Amino acid sequence: MLRRALPAERLPELWLSERGLAQAEADERRRRFGPNDIAEAPGGALRALAADTAKDPMLWFLALTSVLYAAVGQRVEALTLLVAIVPLVGMDAFLHRRTRASTEGLQSRLAASARVVRDGVARDVPATEVVVGDLVRVATGEPFPADGVVVAGAGLQADESALTGEAYPVPKAPLAAPPRDGPEPAVEHEHWGLAGTRLLTGAATLRVAYTGGATVYGEIVRSAVRGAHALTPLQGAIRSLVTVLLAAASVVCLIMAFARLRQGHGWLDALVSAVTLASAALPEEFPVVFTFFLGVGVYRLARRQALVRRAVSVENIGRISCICADKTGTITEGRLSLTHLLPAPGVPERRLRVLAALASRSESGDPLDAAILREAADAGARGLPVDLVATFPFTEGRRRESAIVRDADGALIAVTKGATEVVLAMCELGDEERAAWDREVGELAASGHKVIACAWRALDAGVWPGGDELARGLRLAGLLAFEDPVRDGVAHAVGLCREAGIHTIMVTGDHPLTARAVAREIGLGGEAPAVIAGDEIEARVARGEGATLRRVDVIARAAPAQKLALVRALQEAGEVVAVTGDGVNDVPALQAADVGIAMGERGTRSAREVAAIVLLDDNFRTIVRAVGEGRQLFQNLRASFQYLLMIHIPLVITAAFIPLAGYPLLYLPTHIVWLELIIHPTALLVFQDVAGSGRLARAAARDGTRFFSRREWAAIAVVGALLTLAVAAGYLASQGERGRVEHGRAMALAVLTLASAALTAALSRLATRTARAVAAGTVALSLVLVQTPALARLLHLEPLHAGDWALAGAVGAGVAALVLALDAAARRAYTPGGSRGRARWRS
């Protein structure tokens, strides 16, 4: 799953010793690295609930209206409104609990205490007091209190389902010796014990390397919290919409109060009419639902191995239309193996291995260098007894690496390895000989191999005075060909992208023929992938042809710096771009992309810090899964907003225009409370659990503020208008003669609540237990409140006849059928993967 860096600065000098830290050293490390607060404890729940509840405008509406009724002597109504506060507070408490559920669930998996070794003595301390460098003993069944390296133990297995979602045990093994490949050496996942995971078998000793928010678990928790509170572009658009609606509602409320007074009604009626309309028109559900869905999305993406660092990524990932993915380590496994050696005439294979090893560095972190050195060691060709005189590391511009060495006889040798076209150009070769080697390179590259050339030359002081790298006059030693297997599931993931209209561009430093072979293997671009060299990116942009890059499948011989030009060109062409990167030179592209994705296993710290998302397994399939999760989140959020709009349109219009037309108030404050108890939990709880079909949903709108297409807005308007007519007709037809207002109100509310249940069923397809429970509960609540005489009198309603309920049910069924029909028409208009289909639904 995860290779992590093990910074030397975080470990004590004798970190494999069994004495642990001295108490004074532990205190100093706590001041330096901070406490082990992985997740803030959900303490102060009542205070937090009270603060959240106090923000609910419905409570203030009820309290104010109750005071108004009490002031004019209508004590029954005043008491009814005060009693109505109780279920509303109960609903707020329940929803408050749901919004905190993911963080509390994460908190429950963490260790409460830990057994640390201080001054050579084991002692139990609260888990928050564990510090970086501590030596911790973990028994069977206990959770790891922080992230650290296992330094002792046998037969170890851990439950990491909290991080990976996978239920199978993960074997763990002690790290026998400290790694020696740099100040931040990478340690394999099998040696790590992670906070929030549990030791299943054996007894482990852990040397803590990360605490608090620096742990993988801490990042997930903090990302979830940030995801619930950070302001995103779409959230800003929703806030603007809410502001406009509030301003419009305020104006209509004033008009309502004035009109009721002119119609001869008293001040109480005018005030209640205005306040009731305001509460019906108040669109507070929109920002609440959106922030709740963002928090859910952050947590679910984390379970998909994609750690979200900024909430805006949850929003953007659902709109991704183009993915620029590195080949090595993302599409392929990043485990190069030397499979072919083609020595030049007169050069033994062992000599070729030795020369290639001389031009390689173990500390470079390059998989190619690691493969060469591993092969040289395995073959017993460890090289000549040499002294390193000078090195010239690989760079993007030079595309080669050179070394000057002195052998046991004192002779100087220059060795170079790198891109075949670069190294061959440095060698003294005849035209026919060069053409023969080019053919060899082409054949190997066409079969999917990464091919490099190696060359050398004996030097003397006259030829090499020192300081400069030789660029010509070398002898070719031969070719080395490597294989890097494609990761499992990548071909399927590429197919899913293609079906969903996401264009995938593979970016690699390999030879074009190698890149084309890998592209064919994963189905990218079909049988004839469009391949260009990295230099062509800037050339096309300079010619004003940047938009043509949308039709490219593979960028070969690409330098990381050229990713930035690629990202900007695609964005200017209207694409929403995700780009992967792992090195410092990838930072500009990661920052410029709509969604920057860093590699968690091999990525540098700078790349991870600027990226919006960190992949914990560096797998292209994980990127596609994250896109699918993001798109499904927006599908669900769109369904929730459709429900809110379709149900609010008839509620607000009838609440405003029926009294303005001179009729008695349609909704009393208690009716608004009733409707709020239905609308609020439906929008929040029903749709966020709806699962996808297993295929990528269609993308959200590409600009940050356009949530619905014109077709969808038309559907919302049609359904809202029909429901408005049905509610108004039910009220006006049923109240009839004087004294039947209660019957008209009951009929209008029956139509509205049954329509709410029908919309819930149609938009969610009743796919979850929550959807079925809410739809059934809405119908049951309506029947109880209307048909129970005592409750009906309290609510100023009158029980309905069977025929009335049949008409209300018919309206609900008709609304559901209309929504399903409009959705089916929209699906037919959208052709996955087809440009015409995309153009139709986006219009």
Side-chain angles (χ1 to χ4, degrees):
M1 167 191 162
L2 179 69
R3 290 178 77 237
R4 298 193 75 188
L6 184 61
E9 63 182 23
R10 288 180 167 265
L11 298 173
E13 187 174 349
L14 301 175
W15 65 278
L16 289 178
S17 74
E18 298 181 0
R19 285 192 55 79
L21 300 177
Q23 186 59 49
E25 187 180 6
D27 294 339
E28 189 277 330
R29 284 175 169 271
R30 183 176 295 107
R31 288 190 295 270
R32 182 180 175 188
F33 295 106
N36 187 32
D37 291 330
I38 296 175
E40 295 182 6
L46 290 177
R47 185 164 58 252
L49 172 60
D52 278 358
T53 303
K55 298 175 185 177
D56 190 343
M58 185 59 58
L59 296 180
W60 295 105
F61 157 68
L62 291 175
L64 176 61
T65 311
S66 177
V67 170
L68 290 175
Y69 274 126
V72 296
Q74 297 189 29
R75 297 179 178 177
V76 175
E77 283 77 5
L79 182 61
T80 300
L81 292 178
L82 288 177
V83 171
I85 290 178
V86 175
L88 196 61
V89 170
M91 182 182 70
D92 278 350
F94 174 70
L95 296 177
H96 176 82
R97 172 67 181 172
R98 284 297 299 265
T99 58
R100 292 162 57 89
S102 60
T103 300
E104 290 179 346
L106 291 170
Q107 173 73 28
S108 68
R109 292 179 176 268
L110 299 176
S113 62
R115 191 165 185 79
V116 302
V117 179
R118 299 269 174 86
D119 296 313
V121 178
R123 65 181 71 170
D124 292 329
V125 300
T128 55
E129 295 185 10
V130 172
V131 300
V132 170
D134 254 331
L135 193 66
V136 179
R137 292 177 179 170
V138 183
T140 301
E142 293 181 349
F144 292 101
D147 288 4
V149 177
V150 177
V151 295
L156 305 178
Q157 295 186 95
D159 172 14
E160 297 188 344
S161 59
L163 293 180
T164 66
E166 302 291 347
Y168 53 80
V170 179
K172 298 293 176 182
L175 186 64
R180 302 182 183 278
D181 56 346
E184 291 195 9
V187 175
E188 296 295 336
H189 180 65
E190 65 176 352
H191 302 304
W192 284 98
L194 303 177
T197 69
R198 185 168 54 94
L199 186 64
L200 294 177
T201 59
T205 302
L206 190 79
R207 182 66 74 170
V208 174
Y210 298 94
T211 59
T215 64
V216 174
Y217 214 74
E219 278 285 355
I220 293 174
V221 174
R222 281 159 174 73
S223 294
V225 172
R226 287 194 299 266
H229 296 291
L231 190 66
T232 67
L234 186 54
Q235 193 174 11
I238 292 171
R239 179 170 292 185
S240 300
L241 173 64
V242 168
T243 301
V244 171
L245 293 177
L246 283 175
S250 300
V251 172
V252 176
C253 288
L254 292 175
I255 295 173
M256 168 77 76
F258 179 75
R260 297 298 286 180
L261 286 173
R262 290 295 301 268
Q263 290 169 359
H265 302 283
W267 279 102
L268 177 64
D269 181 280
L271 285 174
V272 171
S273 300
V275 175
T276 301
L277 176 59
S279 62
L282 196 67
E284 83 280 2
E285 291 96 346
F286 291 91
V288 170
V289 168
F290 186 73
T291 52
F292 181 74
F293 272 62
L294 276 187
V296 169
V298 168
Y299 179 67
R300 288 183 177 172
L301 287 173
R303 296 297 296 269
R304 291 285 193 181
Q305 306 282 336
L307 179 60
V308 177
R309 295 177 58 85
R310 292 191 293 275
V312 68
S313 308
V314 179
E315 186 176 304
N316 282 341
I317 201 168
R319 291 194 299 271
I320 287 173
S321 61
C322 182
I323 300 175
C324 300
D326 287 336
K327 179 186 79 71
T328 303
T330 304
I331 290 175
T332 63
E333 294 181 0
R335 293 187 297 104
L336 289 174
S337 58
L338 180 59
T339 56
H340 295 79
L341 284 168
L342 275 74
V347 179
E349 281 194 4
R350 184 179 183 278
R351 176 69 171 171
L352 177 56
R353 284 192 177 94
V354 169
L355 292 172
L358 290 176
S360 303
R361 294 175 298 139
S362 61
E363 69 274 12
S364 69
D366 188 341
L368 188 143
D369 280 2
I372 290 173
L373 294 173
R374 184 173 60 249
E375 177 69 19
D378 292 344
R382 296 183 179 274
L384 302 171
V386 297
D387 293 325
L388 184 64
V389 177
T391 59
F392 303 91
F394 182 93
T395 65
E396 300 169 16
R398 294 167 51 254
R399 290 193 292 170
R400 65 182 184 273
E401 180 159 1
S402 302
I404 308 294
V405 299
R406 189 183 305 274
D407 65 16
D409 298 328
L412 289 176
I413 301 174
V415 185
T416 295
K417 75 176 196 323
T420 54
E421 58 268 34
V422 173
V423 175
L424 289 175
M426 298 168 62
C427 296
E428 295 180 342
L429 297 171
D431 292 341
E432 292 185 6
E433 193 177 4
R434 188 181 305 276
W437 283 111
D438 285 338
R439 286 193 297 272
E440 294 283 2
V441 170
E443 291 176 4
L444 287 169
S447 60
H449 291 82
K450 180 180 181 67
V451 187
I452 66 168
C454 182
W456 65 285
R457 178 177 176 178
L459 303 177
D460 57 46
V463 175
W464 189 73
D468 296 327
E469 178 189 13
L470 289 181
R472 62 180 60 87
L474 275 67
R475 292 178 55 190
L476 182 66
L479 302 179
L480 298 90
F482 303 80
E483 285 184 354
D484 185 7
V486 171
R487 288 182 182 268
D488 290 340
V490 169
H492 177 66
V494 169
L496 290 178
C497 287
R498 184 170 55 252
E499 291 176 5
I502 298 174
H503 181 45
T504 303
I505 299 178
M506 184 176 73
V507 183
T508 178
D510 285 346
H511 191 283
L513 291 175
T514 305
R516 180 177 282 110
V518 174
R520 283 202 194 101
E521 183 176 352
I522 63 175
L524 182 60
E527 287 299 317
V531 182
I532 66 169
D535 295 340
E536 180 68 14
I537 297 174
E538 296 172 351
R540 291 195 183 192
V541 171
R543 296 195 301 267
E545 300 173 358
T548 62
L549 292 171
R550 292 189 295 180
R551 297 192 291 273
V552 172
D553 301 307
V554 179
I555 310 290
R557 289 296 190 224
Q562 293 168 338
K563 283 187 181 179
L564 179 60
L566 174 64
V567 168
R568 287 177 172 169
L570 292 170
Q571 288 173 326
E572 289 175 2
E575 301 290 342
V576 179
V577 183
V579 64
T580 67
D582 56 9
V584 175
N585 46 16
D586 288 324
V587 167
L590 290 171
Q591 288 179 318
D594 298 285
V595 181
I597 303 172
M599 302 296 105
E601 290 187 350
R602 69 181 192 278
T604 60
R605 178 183 296 178
S606 56
R608 293 196 300 267
E609 286 177 351
V610 302
I613 291 176
V614 177
L615 293 188
L616 299 182
D617 62 357
D618 292 11
N619 196 328
F620 179 80
R621 182 172 57 181
T622 300
I623 300 175
V624 177
R625 286 174 174 172
V627 172
E629 193 70 58
R631 289 193 171 188
Q632 188 59 47
L633 173 78
F634 264 71
Q635 290 286 83
N636 295 349
L637 182 60
R638 186 156 42 215
S640 182
F641 277 20
Q642 283 177 322
Y643 165 81
L644 284 173
L645 289 168
M646 288 175 179
I647 205 68
H648 267 95
I649 287 173
L651 174 60
V652 174
I653 292 178
T654 54
F657 287 98
I658 284 181
L660 284 176
Y663 292 98
L665 289 177
L666 173 51
Y667 307 110
L668 299 179
T670 51
H671 303 151
I672 299 299
V673 174
W674 170 7
L675 295 172
E676 191 74 13
L677 287 170
I678 293 173
I679 295 172
H680 209 64
T682 300
L684 273 178
L685 304 180
V686 167
F687 302 102
Q688 55 100 359
D689 284 331
V690 176
S693 63
R695 312 197 77 78
L696 287 181
R698 71 190 189 193
R702 290 189 181 183
D703 65 47
T705 58
R706 185 181 172 192
F707 202 65
F708 295 116
S709 66
R710 285 197 290 269
R711 181 187 298 274
E712 288 163 334
W713 276 117
I716 291 168
V718 169
V719 172
L722 291 178
L723 264 180
T724 300
L725 292 175
V727 172
Y731 174 71
L732 298 175
S734 297
Q735 71 161 326
E737 60 189 45
R738 186 180 177 84
R740 298 280 289 171
V741 174
E742 290 77 6
H743 189 276
R745 286 173 176 158
M747 187 63 190
L749 286 167
V751 170
L752 199 57
T753 54
L754 293 190
S756 173
L759 288 173
T760 302
L763 292 171
S764 71
R765 304 297 197 275
L766 297 179
T768 65
R769 184 180 303 174
T770 302
R772 295 188 290 272
V774 168
T778 298
V779 175
L781 181 65
S782 301
L783 289 169
V784 169
L785 292 180
V786 174
Q787 296 305 114
T788 304
L791 293 176
R793 284 194 300 273
L794 196 63
L795 295 173
H796 301 280
L797 302 175
E798 183 179 294
L800 298 175
H801 305 296
D804 298 327
W805 283 109
L807 286 174
V811 170
V815 166
L818 178 60
V819 169
L820 292 173
L822 291 172
D823 183 68
R827 289 174 184 272
R828 285 194 298 272
Y830 172 70
T831 304
S835 58
R836 288 185 61 192
R838 289 200 300 273
R840 282 200 297 271
W841 81 259
R842 284 182 185 135
S843 65

